[in-house]
Amino acid sequence: MSCVAPHRLAEFARGGLTGRGHARIAAHVDDCGRCRDAVARLRDAQRAFAAIAEREAPELRWDRIRAQTYWTTGSLTALPVARPSRARAVAAWAVGPLVLAGAAAAWFAVAGSAGEATLTDRSVRTAMAPLDAAADPTPEPVTEAAPLVGVVTLVEGRGEIVTAGGATLVGGSAVGAHRVGAGDRLIGDGRLAVQFGPNSTFTVGPRSAVVVARLDDRAIELVVEPAARVDVEVAARAPGQRFVVHAGARAVEVRGTAFRVERGADGVAVACEHGRVAVSSADATVELGAGQKLAVGDREPLLGRAVEPMELTELSELAAARPAGLPLWTDPETIFRTTAALPLLAPTGHAVAIDGVPTGTGSLWRRLPPGRHLIETTDPRGQALPGRWVEIGGEPSETPVVLAAEPELTATGTAAARRARLRELSRAIDAVALRGCVRSLSKQGLAEGTHVELEVGVSTAGAIRYLNVIDTDLPDRVTACVRDVVGRARLTAGAQVAWRHTITF
Amino acid sequence: MLSLVAKQPSDPARAGDRPLSGLDERELVRRCKANERSAHDELYHRFRRVVAANLYRVLGDRGELEDLVQEVFVIAFRGLAQFRHEAQLGTWLYRICLNVAFGKMRARARRPAAIAVADLEAALERSDGDRPESPARALERREDQARVYAALEKLAPKKRLVLYLHEIEGRDLKDIAYLVDSNAVTVRTRLFYAKREFYKLLAEAAPPEVP
């Protein structure tokens, strides 16, 4: 009898065969050493099945996962958007064709009389429609536009607002308490974010200034000053409401999208993360889709200017810079009443994450829902420092939360203490297990001369508080094994020290 | 109603602290659909460990486990409006877990990753208190599990999923068909080829490279 197929041997090993089938394979296995070995291996594996099925979940950062989940799904809990009634919908159906016919007539009249450059690109022509609406001679409705209020949600560094009334507000607390409206000039030291609706936020970039030219239910218009940047995320606007960013001679108009407008010394750069935006000037309009960018000099014509695809790194950077809004939005007054301010003091360059969401760097002021929040920082090298929980209430707080300037464990110990700890660690490491990590490499003669450089931090209680792999020329799996073996070493109480150590094989 | 009982209890230690801990599943889902934050909290607390354990067992390591747990709950909260109680909530969540794990496996297939031996060790360390065993036996068990996951890793994701559900979790074809959103005949065929491949790998497997 030839050798049995492994899946049949597995059935046999499990005891799933009976009668003649079982007897035939049993007889073969008795005679065949290869199949006997295979059965032994399969039995071992089948025993492992039960252990795998019973594996428990490792302990995870449950609060962090929950916070991130809520941030991601936050828009679910926003108040429902009022939908037009059936009667209004019917009216829209009736009025729609009339408006379209009027618009078409106006288009042909303008195109015929002016004789300007003809745009053959359909998408470009489509994008012009809302912009041309601004030049529509139809008189505005007599009703007044209702002003909107912007809520400051993030101030990185020392933000500043020069209000329409001429007052100058400086610093997170003063800026954060201000109700942003038309005529305000916003100056970002780091970033300064303003939310004006659900999923609708704009962020003034670092060392940038933006004037809120208009903020009402008909239009939101921002004017980007020279050498300034603004990142915008805006949900679909109410019918008829425009959102325009003016940057010199160019205007960038959107309906629902996330994008960046950067005004340099002699030109404008626009990058669209998602949705569509239309960049216009007196001569033409160019439309950008998701992942596209456009750079045009102030003196260059926009007509015929080609958009370019963004690099992956640019897109990632744009996504990371997405404006920091609140997961919940009702109306500004409720937001002011029910949210709380959290001023944080952190050293320059230290990244800060709130509830697992990267929020900014250095000292910042953030508006948040009241409750417990997890604040995490990194050192300038990007290594995480221990996080801490902060409880904030509904009242504004003037007392900033001070975040650690350096890791809790630094090389605070004396050289003698570090040498003593190193000797102790060397003795405590399981040398057999360590050699086992590189056993397979040793068999191939590849282990000799390899190394793992570790950064080790030990507390006074003798616990290894952190263990970072700084450099290695070993495969990931072996490195993880080495780190694991070192991490299992048990030390006694003594000096709190941190040091770098290289293990060479 | 299809009912696949979750293999692990939820978080009983803190159940008393939660105001909605006594709520039955139907009412909990109703409140979640009404966007009650406390109901979302309760659902998260009730199923977070089950979800994490499911992903951990299927994938074999804890790399990116937190992100995957988060992904499962984001999908669940967004998809609750479509939940019609045709299966138990735990089963429905398990199906999402498998989908998320499947996506992860496909990503890994494009960029293979080593199995995290440390995770297996951590699992063994936890079980030491329940059943003391010799270091040699612990090493053997670790090697066996590493070998199983190494063989699973070599299967195509679809085959791996049905094989895991049938051979390791012991589920029948009908359950598997529901969980992987397929039909029993397809599952049976896929399982046949998966078993042939998997046991061939196991039978020929050299001792794993674990310390």
Side-chain angles (χ1 to χ4, degrees), chain A residues 22-46:
Chain A
H22 177 85
R24 281 180 59 198
I25 293 179
H28 174 78
V29 167
D30 281 345
D31 294 340
C32 174
R34 194 173 146 204
C35 285
R36 206 165 38 247
D37 290 347
V39 167
R41 278 198 288 271
L42 290 169
R43 282 205 175 112
D44 289 342
Q46 284 167 348

Side-chain angles (χ1 to χ4, degrees), chain A residues 73 76-77, chain B residues 26 28-36 40 43 72-86 89 92-93 96:
Chain A
T73 58
L76 283 176
T77 49
Chain B
R26 213 166 256 275
L28 178 64
V29 171
R30 190 190 66 73
R31 290 197 186 191
C32 282
K33 284 182 180 179
N35 279 334
E36 273 187 37
H40 281 176
L43 189 146
V72 168
F73 279 106
V74 167
I75 293 170
F77 286 144
R78 286 188 171 154
L80 262 177
Q82 278 82 49
F83 181 63
R84 301 273 177 265
H85 295 281
E86 286 158 2
L89 187 57
W92 182 72
L93 279 171
I96 298 175

Side-chain angles (χ1 to χ4, degrees), chain A residues 384-476:
Chain A
L385 304 181
R388 59 186 287 194
W389 287 97
V390 174
E391 184 92 32
I392 56 171
E395 295 299 315
S397 169
E398 293 295 330
T399 315
V401 175
V402 181
L403 301 173
E406 291 297 330
E408 245 182 85
L409 291 171
T410 53
T412 49
T414 60
R418 285 200 294 274
R419 276 198 300 275
R421 279 299 198 193
L422 177 59
R423 276 198 300 275
E424 189 185 3
L425 181 66
S426 303
R427 283 196 300 271
I429 290 174
D430 181 347
V432 176
L434 198 61
R435 278 198 298 276
C437 292
V438 291
R439 188 190 301 149
S440 61
L441 290 176
S442 299
K443 284 178 186 169
Q444 301 166 58
L446 300 174
E448 197 171 349
T450 55
H451 74 281
V452 180
E453 185 184 1
L454 294 165
E455 186 179 45
V456 189
V458 180
S459 70
T460 47
I464 294 181
R465 294 288 301 278
Y466 62 83
L467 191 57
N468 300 318
V469 177
I470 304 299
D471 183 43
T472 184
D473 51 4
L474 288 168
D476 289 350

Side-chain angles (χ1 to χ4, degrees), chain B residues 122-208:
Chain B
L124 290 170
E125 278 173 2
R126 273 198 299 279
S127 66
D128 281 354
D130 306 331
R131 193 174 54 186
E133 60 184 355
S134 68
R137 177 68 197 122
L139 181 67
E140 276 175 29
R141 289 213 299 138
R142 188 174 59 182
E143 285 178 349
D144 291 341
Q145 289 189 32
R147 202 164 58 216
V148 170
Y149 276 112
L152 282 170
E153 199 79 23
K154 286 180 182 157
L155 299 184
K158 283 184 180 176
K159 285 185 194 167
R160 175 176 174 176
L161 220 48
V162 293
L163 187 122
Y164 169 83
L165 292 168
H166 189 267
E167 296 294 288
I168 295 178
E169 292 212 339
R171 296 189 188 274
D172 64 24
L173 296 182
K174 189 179 152 205
D175 284 356
I176 298 171
Y178 170 78
L179 288 169
V180 301
D181 198 16
S182 184
N183 63 66
V185 177
T186 305
V187 167
R188 192 176 59 187
T189 311
R190 200 174 285 162
L191 181 63
F192 171 75
Y193 287 106
K195 279 165 85 170
R196 270 204 337 192
E197 204 175 322
F198 177 66
Y199 285 118
K200 187 165 184 282
L201 287 165
L202 278 184
E204 294 169 354

Side-chain angles (χ1 to χ4, degrees), chain A residues 65-150:
Chain A
I65 298 170
R66 184 182 60 171
Q68 286 183 326
T69 303
Y70 290 160
W71 273 91
T72 312
T73 58
S75 58
L76 283 176
T77 49
L79 288 185
V81 177
R83 296 191 180 282
S85 67
R86 187 176 168 75
R88 284 173 63 192
V90 170
W93 274 101
V95 173
L98 292 175
V99 173
L100 281 175
W107 166 260
F108 283 118
V110 170
S113 62
E116 288 174 357
T118 309
L119 299 172
T120 51
D121 186 330
R122 193 174 161 196
S123 65
V124 171
R125 194 180 295 163
T126 312
M128 284 188 73
L131 296 172
D132 287 349
D136 193 335
T138 311
E140 293 253 326
V142 288
T143 52
E144 293 271 320
L148 297 177
V149 171

